[in-house]
Amino acid sequence: MQGKGLIRAFTILLLLICLYQLSFTFFANRWDKKADSYAVTFDSDKESAAYKNARRAYIDSIQNLKVINLGFTDFTYKQVKEQQLNLGLELQGGMNVVLQASLDDLIKSMANNSKDPNFLAALQNAKTRQTDAQEDYVTLFGQEYAKLVPGGNGLAPIFSASSQYQSRIPFNATDAQVLEVIRGESDQAVQRTYEVIKARIDRFGVAQPNVNLQPATGRIVVELPGVDDPERVRKLLQATAKLEFWETYEQSNDMMKWLNDANDVLKKKSPADSKSTAAATDSTNTATAAADSSAAVGDSTSLVMNDDSAATAQPDSTKSREQLRKENPFYAVFQPSNQVGPVIGFVVQKDTAALNKYLSDVDVKNIFPKNLKFLYGNKPQVVTNEDGNPSSSIYPIYAIKSPSVEFQPRLDGGYIVDSRHDFDINNDVVVNMQMNPEGANIWKKMTGENVGKFIAIALDDQIYSAPTVNQEIAGGNSQISGGFDLKEAEDLANILKVGKLPAPARIVEEAVVGPSLGEKSISAGLWSLMAAFLAIMVFMLAYYNNSGWVANVALLLNLFIIVGVLASLGATLTLPGMAGIVLTIGMAVDANVLIFERIREELAQGIPLRKAVIDGYTKSYAPIIDSNLTTLISAVVMLIFGLGPIKGFATILTIGIFSSLFTAVLLARYINEWAVNKNWNLKFSFPWSEPKSRNYKFLQNRKLAYTISIALIVVGAISMVVRGFDLGVDLRGGRTFVVQFDKAMDTDQVAGALQAQFEKAPLVRTYGSNNQFKITTDYKIASDNPETDTEVEQKLYEGVKGLYAHAPTFGDFHSKYKLSSQKVGPTIADDISQSAWVASILAAIGIFLYIFLRFRKWQFGLAAVLCMVHDALVILSLFSLLPGIMPFSMEIDQTFIAAILTILGYSVNDTVIVFDRIREYVKKYPKRDKMQLMNDAINTTLSRTIITSLVTFMVVFILFLFGGDTLKGFSFALMVGIVLGTLSSIFVAAPIVYDLSKGEALSTDENHSLSSSAERIKASV
């Protein structure tokens, strides 16, 4: 073997690099344990606020502490955390979010919020079609508008009305030209939205956040390990940051006249109208509220807040509620302020719907000035009852004044270049902001014109503060106050600092994993990994004698290299990734077994040990590389089309393939040849495990095999049509929660308790033990309202809290009993389904082309593809027939898709080994009978096939036993696939080649084929 020195040097260098990268993980874990020990002194409950706050304080204190000193360079704790091995959400808890840029909002803003009915209908129709269409949103919008307004030139007048686009969209532009401008703007907006989201996440304080843009779909994938406040994350990610500065109307005689006139107009309405409007409210008429008295005084501003006095109205108790509604419908829900200032009144939270309806009444709107608009304050005052418990929340109402009837502010958040939270002279939390020169000039003029008056600061149409202006403010430095707590101020400053979203983003997929479930996943993954390794090492020593040590050393180095390379690339280790490591171990064994079996064949022919080892490796190169490359094709397809768990699995699989080839083909050969040169007495078998000659008549029984296979597929096909599949939430859309109870429960109890909350009973399955359940519902899954997620979680809690021996609080339920949650919108579910089909088809095409090029006979390629289709159909049949029978989930989800693609690679792996031996025998025995030749080829590979399949099955079976509930269905599919791949390569693939090539020679035309892998490797090493 040439190049031994190069292999030795490369191995040492690679191991040192891996050791260096993994050392960051060691030091990070060491300091994290110190943080845990510190936090335990405050509270032993790791879910408590005291523990979390203490741990967070400790971590914050050591961010810039040097924890590694290498002499030539130092690393702080923060730098170490950034370079440690990333753990997926399943292994440490956290949140995964997929955001979809809201292009309909962007297009509306480009059209200056046009009210054209056809324009609005086209936007809505495109949004509806996006659920199950593969075209991008702009294309769908163009198609829908063309249906409503044929002719191809209706969009230009809508968009050219906006001064921003007049130069780019002339009045006579065609629809195609307009759509091209829209597409360009949408692409840029999605990119800017991604940058905004990334900047927000970078400032959120999460260790190792991961933010990726999918340009083709306009989606942004966000992974936030360790996050324990999903609601805060949702608000931060979806906030549009529409910051605006408004002049205000004040409470005055004119304002009271307008309010009284509005009340009179509503009184004159028919009783039915008044009654239906007022029916939306069911709350007290007493509204007591104090306006925000926080001061906004600072070094860089001359704004001073007014103290608005409380406003109280006492209704005549002798009159019924119905009478009051009829006599004063407006004042039944709105309480005027009795103080001069920007707050003109108050409304109880339950009355906001009724007030909104009154204010949207056409006759009422005509009473107020055209440039007046009512906005709510962002922080309500909570009113308590006699028992001291909260009874209602009261919101202040502001009247803002627009410079024009189009309601465009003179100043908005686009002019802000920096912001930060701080404390004012009263030690109240405030937000300081710095404007650019253009914004500073506008602000100077705006404040100069309003000295002694009020300016309201609104974020997303909610007033955060309404200070008075003492003097003109120059320089662009300003301050927002609003009674913030520190966390609110931090979030607001982060949002303002990175600006507003060009295209608002909405969460279309979400997964939240609790830390307790993450700990269980780590334990399950490590146990399965250790058990698999131990089983393999014992088997290799028991079957291959002392040469098994060579394989075991190669396997240990293989594992070390995989994890080290994973850390070096900054990739993330997920639970499916750990499954990928377990499977990779099995595949690495495959290469060692194939080589060792070939060496045993050479020894059986009386060839000396030294030459047998060399020949064994040389003759094994082609089948090893062929089988691994076909698996690599599946892995690459998963990398391109996969999301989340599939991509993590494929990453490990890809790294593992190259690592296995290096350790098994080069490193193990180097060790074996070194041992032989040292005259070590290497043995490759025991007397009982010596290779034996076999002469089974496989091809003669092919019709029986065909019949059994066809029968299984037909039965499965009937089941697929009649019963279908249990589709996972990621393929059909919906929400899934894993909930744990404090006692045993049955699925009917849980479903019944939730039926009233979700309008229909959700799908409930046992998830592991009989006190743990997976709950799936499609309740309001298509809603775009950001508040819907919180509403669904609240309904879940309300439905199940009565099932506990002691009902937990919502906080305890969220942190202790709701182990994980997942949300997948209908649009992304459809895309996942489509990508699964595309991935499977492309994998099959890629494998067919590779085998065709390698073997130069279409029969081999077609047989391999038919064999893969056979295996996939049988597995799909089982997953249609067995749900409800097997004691674990058999959902068709993303991990199942990964299993199918892996099975395709494994199936063709086995098939290629047989095909390679057939090709070798065709060249070696050109005149032998075709059936006999193929039977001989199968028989000589039978020992390798059985041993490899047995070891790989054993590895996956261990994963099935110890890998946790999440991987039960995945590992079951792999176990079935291993058995099928073994049987189909013998009883399906080879017989199909025989039947397809009747009357033809099996010669693979080696003179015109690609150079054999053996020759290429031999030449290089």
Side-chain angles (χ1 to χ4, degrees), residues 175-409:
D175 286 355
Q177 291 172 322
V178 175
L179 289 172
E180 196 61 34
V181 174
I182 294 174
R183 193 181 309 281
E185 285 292 311
S186 66
D187 290 344
Q188 293 179 25
V190 169
Q191 181 64 39
R192 292 199 304 273
T193 297
Y194 163 69
E195 297 296 340
V196 169
I197 293 292
K198 192 172 186 301
R200 289 183 183 179
I201 292 301
D202 289 341
R203 292 175 174 84
F204 192 69
V206 175
Q208 298 176 295
N210 188 17
V211 187
N212 294 304
L213 173 65
Q214 298 175 336
T217 61
R219 294 188 185 125
I220 301 161
V221 182
V222 180
E223 289 186 355
L224 301 173
V227 164
D228 56 4
D229 191 353
E231 182 60 27
R232 183 185 177 203
V233 173
R234 294 184 192 117
K235 289 181 178 178
L236 182 71
L237 293 180
Q238 296 183 110
T240 59
K242 186 176 69 174
L243 181 70
E244 299 168 331
F245 298 82
W246 299 97
E247 297 173 50
T248 66
Y249 283 93
E250 300 172 18
Q251 181 61 287
S252 61
N253 290 334
D254 287 341
M255 179 61 69
M256 284 305 304
K257 181 181 182 303
W258 295 332
L259 296 173
N260 288 331
D261 290 346
N263 187 61
D264 292 339
V265 166
L266 293 170
K267 282 169 61 176
K268 293 176 183 178
K269 293 278 186 178
S270 66
D273 289 342
S274 179
K275 185 176 181 180
S276 64
T277 304
T281 177
D282 183 22
S283 59
T284 178
N285 190 42
T286 302
T288 303
D292 193 344
S293 59
S294 301
V297 182
D299 294 337
S300 60
T301 179
S302 58
L303 298 178
V304 181
M305 281 297 299
N306 248 20
D307 280 344
D308 291 314
S309 305
T312 306
Q314 297 295 336
D316 185 348
S317 60
T318 63
K319 295 182 179 181
S320 68
R321 293 280 297 163
E322 201 60 39
Q323 276 184 293
L324 288 172
R325 287 191 181 119
K326 290 179 179 179
E327 294 178 7
N328 294 290
F330 188 73
Y331 292 133
V333 297
F334 176 86
Q335 179 63 43
S337 170
N338 57 12
Q339 293 292 317
V340 175
V343 176
I344 62 164
F346 306 90
V347 61
V348 179
Q349 184 177 20
K350 292 181 179 180
D351 290 337
T352 54
L355 179 61
N356 291 340
K357 190 166 185 179
Y358 282 148
L359 293 175
S360 64
D361 185 279
V362 175
D363 294 328
V364 171
K365 289 172 69 174
N366 289 333
I367 293 171
F368 297 99
K370 300 298 183 185
N371 66 340
L372 182 151
K373 184 178 181 180
F374 295 101
L375 294 179
Y376 293 100
N378 78 302
K379 290 190 72 175
Q381 177 181 343
V382 178
V383 177
T384 59
N385 57 25
E386 295 178 355
D387 299 328
N389 296 319
S391 62
S392 60
S393 298
I394 300 173
Y395 285 84
I397 307 293
Y398 295 80
I400 64 168
K401 182 191 296 184
S402 171
S404 66
V405 295
E406 295 178 348
F407 281 99
Q408 296 297 322

Side-chain angles (χ1 to χ4, degrees), residues 658-686:
F658 288 104
S659 177
S660 297
L661 285 173
F662 171 73
T663 54
V665 173
L666 296 178
L667 192 57
R669 177 174 180 175
Y670 171 82
I671 296 172
N672 268 318
E673 291 192 8
W674 176 83
V676 170
N677 290 333
K678 292 290 184 179
N679 295 318
W680 285 17
N681 186 23
L682 273 184
K683 295 181 180 179
F684 288 85
S685 61
F686 290 99

